[in-house]
Amino acid sequence: MSLLLLFDRDGSSTVPISDLDVLTRKTLKVVFTDEIVTGSSYYDVSNYSISLVDGEGPVEVKSVLPTNGTSALELVLLTESMTLGSTYQLTANNLKDRNGATISFSGQFIYRDTKVDSALRSIPKHFDKRPTSILFSLMAAIGEQDDIIGGSRSDRLVIEGV
């Protein structure tokens, strides 16, 4: 999990997300408190921006990973590389919940190197490690479960014998 500070864009309503998890240097997962409609605005990368709070320059959101169904509790963003220890602000606009309400929010998080990043770096280059690959999905799932069950608090994955 990342260190996350959430706030509504105008401060008038409840923040619609419960968690933001840094999966890898180029992948973020946002968990919503209610299902979001996965229509065209959900997949439109212009509805998302990531800016560097303690430095200069944005991080481009390259794509939104597809979900199954017409609504989702999660959103996975593929981005440019983030810098270790830097604070970023994620802003989303024009999303819709199941009741048709428009959702916009901002939140700050600190990028930290994850166990998944470490594991993917140790896998030979000829394997498909793109965020849409089975290998990547498997590693991300293992990393998330490790966080949930209280695995090592060190974000460095130590591979025995390597």
Side-chain angles (χ1 to χ4, degrees):
M1 303 290 172
S2 5
L3 177 59
L4 174 68
L5 172 64
L6 296 173
F7 48 93
D8 195 304
R9 294 291 306 274
D10 61 6
S12 64
S13 63
T14 306
V15 176
I17 67 174
S18 61
D19 193 22
L20 183 145
D21 197 11
V22 176
L23 299 178
T24 71
R25 179 173 294 159
K26 297 180 180 183
T27 314
L28 298 175
K29 181 175 89 170
V30 178
V31 180
F32 295 99
T33 56
D34 194 13
E35 290 186 351
I36 301 298
V37 175
T38 57
S40 59
S41 64
Y42 178 89
Y43 293 108
D44 185 354
V45 295
S46 67
N47 287 330
Y48 309 96
S49 66
I50 300 174
S51 56
L52 192 56
V53 173
D54 58 0
E56 292 188 29
V59 172
E60 181 183 350
V61 175
K62 295 193 175 263
S63 66
V64 178
L65 287 184
T67 61
N68 294 326
T70 58
S71 64
L73 280 170
E74 297 178 348
L75 168 73
V76 178
L77 299 174
L78 302 180
T79 69
E80 292 177 324
S81 289
M82 291 178 272
T83 304
L84 181 64
S86 294
T87 302
Y88 294 92
Q89 180 168 311
L90 169 65
T91 302
N93 294 299
N94 303 320
L95 301 178
K96 301 279 185 195
D97 69 11
R98 292 182 299 167
N99 299 319
T102 300
I103 293 178
S104 297
F105 66 88
S106 285
Q108 291 183 2
F109 65 96
I110 297 173
Y111 169 72
R112 47 104 171 147
D113 202 23
T114 67
K115 294 174 200 174
V116 176
D117 285 320
S118 297
L120 288 171
R121 281 193 297 270
S122 71
I123 295 171
K125 293 187 186 296
H126 62 275
F127 285 96
D128 184 3
K129 297 184 278 186
R130 292 174 296 169
T132 54
S133 73
I134 291 172
L135 179 61
F136 180 92
S137 297
L138 178 63
M139 296 302 300
I142 290 170
E144 280 188 88
Q145 288 303 308
D146 185 59
D147 279 347
I148 289 169
I149 63 171
S152 148
R153 287 294 116 207
S154 167
D155 286 325
R156 296 283 179 197
L157 178 65
V158 177
I159 300 174
E160 298 290 328
V162 177

